[in-house]
Structures are given as structure tokens and as C-alpha cells.
Amino acid sequence: MASERATHVRMTSTWPATAAEAIAVQEKLRGQVDPSDVGEAPRYVAGLDVAYAGNWAQGDRPAADRLAADRLAAAVVVLDWQTLEEVDRAVVLGETTFPYVPGLFAFREVPALLAALEQLTITPELLVCDGQGLAHPRRFGLACHLGVLTGIPAIGAAKTTFVGTHVELGRERGATAELIDSGEVVGAAVRTQDGVKPVYVSVGHRVSLPTAVERVLHLAPRYRLPETTRAADHLCREGLRDGQ
DNA sequence: GCGACAG
DNA sequence: ATCTTGTCGC
């Protein structure tokens, strides 16, 4: 019970309160990102996602320096890399402590996701995040943030792009195209199923881009999104629905 | 200056 | 992210 309380205390004391402070945190931590492969193929892979109770359309929040207080449910689901069967799960209910600001998205979800990760019995060797990694204005998206803070290899698998453009890619599963921003390769557009819209993959921490793409394709054998993402999405919505 | 803008 | 019905396709 001590651990559950501790996470809530930490997210209110050490967390940035303004956009300027948050950007400073990103600038400070970005140098810690390791974009190379560390370790072998994972045995356990985690999918992470957050669901919100509020209804804040983009633009509804004028200032970044104002606290939002949406109810949320953060979920982490651990799957066996080989069978894609679930081996562990955790859900944490709470409130956001930061408004949604493009580029500062991680500050909305990281505290709750870290709390959920602490509830796990099995430690995952790869975090598949619902958002960008290096494909970010300051090269420090959610996947980089979670990777650096936990030390666990992480990748970003987003449904849409944030920064960067790419040429058209083949229509078949497995087709890819470099995501380029300001002349830099920041990620890849990946077709995970024939004819579906691509998934945007980028490095989070301790995993190279080619490996990140391989991981996503392995985790998405049947649907557009990785099974990890799908499982976490289902779990956080369920947690929000019948949570306290 | 004017839009665009992960979830 | 969230609000939302039926509907086309495998």
C-alpha cells in the first residue's frame, strides 16, 4: 500500500507545472537517449496506453500553464513475445497533472504510466508506447521519456505523424518509408497490413530504428496496430469504465 | 503572420 | 483523447 501512495506524491512534487519547465526537462533528458540496440529480442513486451474521462477537444485549453484535472486510467499489458499471450497487466486510476500541449504530451501520461509499471510482477524488456519517440520537435517524445526514466528499451508506435514527412510507401504489409524532419531520419512509416494506413514508428531508447520496425511488424500479425497497443487500449478503457 | 499540432 | 449508428468487408 505504501507504493501506491508514493507514486501519487512523487507526481505532484517533482513534476513540471508549466510549459517552460517541461521543455527544460526535455532539453535536459534528451541527451540520455540511446538510439542503438541493447540486448537481445525480448521475452516480455509491454503495451502502454491511457484513457480519459473528460472531453477536451484540441484548442479548448488556451494556456499551457493551467492545470487540467481529467480523470484517467493508465494501463500496461505484458505479452509473451513468442505467443503474444498476456502474462501480466496493471491499471492505475488518477488525474492528469498537465494539460495537453503538442510536444509536451508525455507530461500528461508519464506519471500514471510509471505508477502502472510499478504494479507489474513481470518486468518487460521492451515498452511499446502509444505515441512518438524521436519523431518529436525536440527529439524527446513519450517513448524516449519512458525509456530514459525506466532504463527499459522503448519504441514509439503512433497512429498519426507529429513531425516529419515521407514518400508514398508500398501497399503491402512490411513496406516502409523513412520519416524525415529537418533533413533528419526521425522514424519510419510502416505498413503493418496490406492496404491499411501506416503506423509511425520511432526510436524511444536502447532500440535502433530498424529493430523498432521489426518489433512492430512482429507484434502486428493481424491488425494495423501492435497487439500490445490493442491490449493496453482495451484495458485502460475498461479501467475507466468500471474503476472507482 | 497563419496554420498545424502525438494523445 | 472523446463525442457516436449503421454499415461494408473478410
Side-chain angles (χ1 to χ4, degrees), chain A residues 10 39 50 59 68 90 141 147 149 166 182 218 220 231:
Chain A
R10 178 153 49 71
V50 175
L149 261 41
H166 63 85
S182 300
H218 174 91

Side-chain angles (χ1 to χ4, degrees), chain A residues 225-237:
Chain A
L225 297 177
E227 289 301 316
T228 36
T229 300
R230 289 166 46 77
D233 181 69
H234 293 322
L235 182 55
C236 65
R237 294 192 193 218

